[in-house]
């Protein structure tokens, strides 16, 4: 890791370290370290935790523990690389007011063009796909929870009960997540993230407590220290993608109060450390309880008529359901980058290109929020006079307007609802989305962004970053090949 004074170090093609260190952040945040840790941990820890015992069973106890820890360390290093790169955004003359994002770093490292659009497209598809899978999980599990509770309390439900209808629960859950999805910042979602993480704690207590009180399952399989087979390779992506949370690293960086590298390191280490601890505990305890016979969803291995397990299943719903807005936020931002400027007013386009004269106050406001990247930086005309708001903060003219915010969010919600309503599983599609989108944002882009922006930096860190990017391509190739072979089979 690096110290605060290294925060802005860069190559000749980027700002000098002294300029980055002395310049006040363009957008001073308001989120605390605790809020940031909670949101990043909630983004990382998902229903995938329930598959870790199965992953441990496929490779044995010791390789499972090492693989889980190694996957966490690579994801942590990727987040560190992104946090270092984020400090470079907005430090060049004329770039004042720009917020850190994958789009901005792609612009700095690869220039404008198809590359930045491709990265935003990958992030948008990945986050949208995951958000839809969350809705499908909720509509699938809630009827099961109702059925289990009816058995526990000896009040059987009729087969045609609305409480057993998945579409009913999908609509109910949409009512819950729609207002949350219209919140603009991650910090505003910290309370829902805290609720979601409490369910994680409950699931950990269930898995550990069940083993401590009742011991191994009567029908448990063998427990081995190490093994290697076909299932070993098939479960490798489970651990690699379990830590994916890079899509929310930049919102957390932008919102963090009095941000510096030391604080970002604290957020990253605490979040990834917490995620790794959860995965390790559930993986070890679940494997020891059921052995080689453990399924891909460990909570389904416990007695379905137990009230404790019914609450655990409800906890899974809360965990993934309340994480839905955390996927909407980066998806919305990427779609905004892709569509920005497509619907400009013709007169404003002329003004942007220097062909018009004068504008009304309303036109000026619209120009500031809707001007396209192709008709770029007015600040480049006079980069020494950046635009500021009433509070003295630099204004980035590519900020999302209120109309754009509402329109894009509405499209994401409606499209997600329609797909979740008509589709019952996205396993194959998500396999390909995870193989590409997750590896791009977790390994490939963090590694190559850092290597290009800090290529003149002394030491071996840049070479480790390059190795991370290459590792990402290897993971992508392996996972895509495996998915294609499964699809053929």
């Amino acid at each position: 890791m690096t110290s605060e004074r290294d925060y802005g170090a860069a190559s000749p093609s980027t700002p000098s370290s002294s300029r980055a260190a002395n310049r006040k952040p363009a957008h001073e945040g308001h989120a605390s370290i605790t809020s940031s840790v909670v949101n990043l941990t909630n983004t990382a820890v998902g229903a995938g935790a329930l598959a870790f015992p199965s992953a441990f069973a496929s490779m044995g106890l010791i390789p499972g523990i090492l693989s889980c820890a190694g996957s966490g360390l690579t994801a942590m290093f990727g987040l560190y690389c992104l946090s270092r790169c984020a400090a470079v955004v907005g430090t060049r003359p004329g770039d004042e007011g720009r917020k850190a994002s994958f789009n901005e770093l792609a612009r700095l490292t690869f220039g404008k063009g198809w590359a930045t659009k491709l990265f935003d497209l990958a992030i948008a598809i990945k986050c949208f796909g995951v958000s839809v899978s969350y809705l499908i999980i909720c509509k699938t599990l809630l009827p099961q929870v109702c059925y289990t509770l009816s058995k526990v309390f000896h009040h059987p439900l009729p087969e045609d009960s609305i409480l057993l209808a998945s579409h009913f629960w999908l609509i109910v859950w949409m009512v819950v997540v729609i207002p949350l999805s219209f919140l603009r910042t991650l910090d505003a979602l910290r309370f829902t993230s805290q609720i979601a993480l409490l369910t994680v704690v409950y699931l950990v207590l269930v898995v550990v407590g069940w083993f401590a009180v009742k011991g191994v399952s009567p029908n448990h399989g063998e427990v081995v220290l190490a093994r290697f087979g076909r299932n070993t390779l098939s479960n490798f992506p489970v651990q690699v993608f379990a830590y994916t949370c890079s899509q929310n690293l930049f919102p957390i960086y932008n919102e963090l109060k009095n941000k510096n590298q030391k604080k970002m390191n604290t957020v990253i280490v605490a979040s990834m450390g917490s995620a790794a601890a959860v995965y390790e505990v559930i993986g070890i305890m679940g494997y020891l309880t059921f052995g080689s016979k453990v399924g891909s969803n460990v909570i389904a291995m416990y007695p379905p008529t137990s009230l404790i397990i019914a609450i655990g299943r409800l906890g899974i719903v809360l965990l993934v359901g309340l994480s839905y807005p955390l996927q909407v936020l980066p998806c919305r931002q990427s779609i905004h980058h892709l569509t920005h400027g497509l619907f400009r007013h013709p007169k404003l386009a002329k003004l942007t290109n220097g062909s018009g004269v004068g504008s009304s106050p309303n036109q000026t406001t619209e120009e500031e929020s809707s001007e396209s990247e192709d008709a770029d930086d007015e600040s480049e005309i006079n980069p020494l006079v950046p635009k500021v708001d009433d509070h003295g903060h630099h204004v980035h003219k590519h900020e999302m307007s209120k109309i754009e915010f509402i329109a894009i969010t509405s499209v994401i919600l409606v499209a997600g609802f329609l797909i979740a309503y008509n589709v019952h599983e996205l396993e194959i599609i998500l396999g390909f989305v995870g193989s590409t989108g997750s590896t791009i944002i977790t390994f490939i882009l963090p590694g190559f962004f850092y290597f290009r922006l800090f290529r003149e930096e002394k030491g071996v860190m840049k070479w480790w970053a390059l190795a991370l990017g290459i590792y990402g391509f290897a993971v992508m190739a392996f996972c895509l090949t495996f998915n294609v072979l499964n699809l053929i089979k």
Side-chain angles (χ1 to χ4, degrees):
M1 299 293 178
T2 187
S3 64
E4 292 182 40
R5 55 179 183 273
D6 293 329
Y7 205 21
S11 67
S13 62
T14 62
S16 66
S17 59
S18 59
R19 185 189 305 150
N22 295 329
R23 185 170 306 203
K24 185 180 179 179
H27 292 265
E28 189 58 59
H30 55 274
S32 66
I33 292 179
T34 302
S35 170
S36 302
V37 170
V38 166
N39 281 317
L40 192 60
T41 305
N42 188 29
T43 305
V45 179
L50 304 178
F52 267 77
S54 176
F56 276 50
S58 69
M59 60 185 68
L61 192 61
I62 295 177
I65 293 173
L66 295 178
S67 177
C68 180
S71 298
L73 287 174
T74 54
M76 185 187 300
F77 181 58
L79 293 175
Y80 167 73
C81 290
L82 289 179
S83 69
R84 287 288 309 278
C85 294
V88 176
V89 176
T91 57
R92 292 193 318 181
D95 279 356
E96 292 87 351
R98 290 185 181 272
K99 288 185 178 181
S101 67
F102 279 104
N103 182 275
E104 283 298 321
L105 286 178
R107 184 182 65 86
L108 288 174
T109 53
F110 300 104
K112 296 176 186 176
W114 64 270
T116 57
K117 300 296 183 183
L118 180 63
F119 298 149
D120 275 316
L121 180 62
I123 296 169
I125 293 175
K126 185 266 177 192
C127 294
F128 179 74
V130 173
S131 69
V132 173
S133 72
Y134 287 172
L135 295 178
I136 293 176
I137 291 173
C138 290
K139 81 166 189 177
T140 302
L141 286 184
L142 281 170
Q144 297 177 13
V145 172
C146 290
Y147 178 80
T148 301
L149 290 176
S150 70
K151 292 291 186 182
V152 170
F153 294 107
H154 306 291
H155 289 285
L157 295 172
E159 292 184 1
D160 60 348
S161 172
I162 192 173
L163 295 179
L164 299 179
S166 60
H167 290 159
F168 166 74
W169 285 111
L170 175 62
I171 294 173
V172 169
W173 201 254
M174 288 302 298
V175 173
V176 174
V177 299
I178 283 176
L180 298 176
S181 300
F182 279 95
L183 296 176
R184 280 185 174 266
T185 65
L186 281 181
D187 188 49
L189 294 167
R190 64 188 182 278
F191 298 113
T192 56
S193 292
Q194 290 169 2
I195 296 173
L197 290 182
L198 286 177
T199 67
V200 174
V201 174
Y202 180 81
L203 290 173
V204 170
L205 292 176
V206 168
V207 175
V208 174
W210 196 278
F211 179 79
V213 174
K214 298 195 174 184
V216 298
S217 170
N219 299 319
H220 76 286
E222 63 174 349
V223 175
V224 298
L225 292 179
R227 68 153 50 99
F228 183 83
R230 184 174 178 273
N231 289 335
T232 303
L233 296 177
S234 66
N235 278 279
F236 173 68
V238 172
Q239 299 198 23
V240 172
F241 298 138
Y243 295 91
T244 301
C245 58
S246 301
Q247 66 271 23
N248 279 331
L249 189 279
F250 293 123
I252 285 174
Y253 171 83
N254 292 327
E255 295 175 20
L256 184 61
K257 184 178 181 180
N258 299 323
K259 61 180 70 69
N260 56 52
Q261 190 60 48
K262 184 178 180 180
K263 287 187 175 182
M264 285 302 300
N265 290 346
T266 301
V267 171
I268 293 169
V269 172
S271 301
M272 293 296 96
S274 300
V278 169
Y279 293 148
E280 293 280 17
V281 171
I282 292 180
I284 294 172
M285 293 294 103
Y287 180 42
L288 293 179
T289 302
F290 300 103
S292 59
K293 293 185 178 180
V294 67
S296 59
N297 179 359
V298 69
I299 204 71
M301 301 295 296
Y302 296 96
T305 56
S306 168
L307 178 61
I308 294 176
I309 303 305
I311 296 175
R313 287 184 173 179
L314 179 60
I316 298 171
V317 173
L318 292 174
L319 173 61
V320 299
L322 295 178
S323 298
Y324 179 85
L326 297 179
Q327 299 295 331
V328 171
L329 191 147
C331 180
R332 175 173 57 224
Q333 195 62 43
S334 294
I335 293 176
H336 172 248
H337 290 149
L338 289 168
T339 60
H340 187 67
L342 292 180
F343 307 103
R344 289 183 302 158
H345 193 285
K347 291 183 178 180
L348 292 174
K350 289 183 178 181
L351 286 171
T352 302
N353 295 323
S355 302
V357 289
S359 63
S360 67
N362 291 335
Q363 287 175 320
T364 302
T365 302
E366 185 176 352
E367 180 182 4
E368 290 173 358
S369 61
S370 303
E371 185 178 5
S372 73
E373 289 191 26
D374 294 328
D376 201 16
D377 295 340
E378 178 186 355
S379 59
E380 291 178 1
I381 299 173
N382 190 357
L384 299 179
V385 188
K387 199 177 299 181
V388 296
D389 61 16
D390 294 336
H391 303 286
H393 297 138
H394 296 303
V395 175
H396 181 202
K397 63 178 175 299
H398 296 305
E399 290 283 355
M400 195 183 310
S401 68
K402 187 175 182 179
I403 294 178
E404 288 175 315
F405 178 86
I406 294 174
I408 295 174
T409 306
S410 300
V411 168
I412 294 172
L413 291 171
V414 172
F417 170 78
L418 292 176
I419 294 175
Y421 190 90
N422 293 287
V423 177
H424 297 290
E425 62 178 43
L426 290 172
E427 204 169 308
I428 296 176
I429 296 176
L430 284 178
F432 285 96
V433 170
S435 300
T436 53
S438 293
T439 50
I440 287 174
I441 66 174
T442 306
F443 306 121
I444 297 175
L445 289 184
F448 286 105
F449 281 163
Y450 188 96
F451 183 76
R452 286 183 64 91
L453 290 176
F454 297 91
R455 58 185 177 272
E456 300 299 325
E457 184 181 60
K458 295 181 179 180
V460 298
M461 191 67 71
K462 61 184 177 184
W463 299 113
W464 281 112
L466 179 61
L468 180 70
I470 296 173
Y471 168 76
F473 277 114
V475 170
M476 180 188 292
F478 170 80
C479 293
L480 284 176
T481 302
F482 185 81
N483 288 333
V484 170
L485 291 177
N486 272 349
L487 190 60
I488 294 174
K489 180 179 179 181

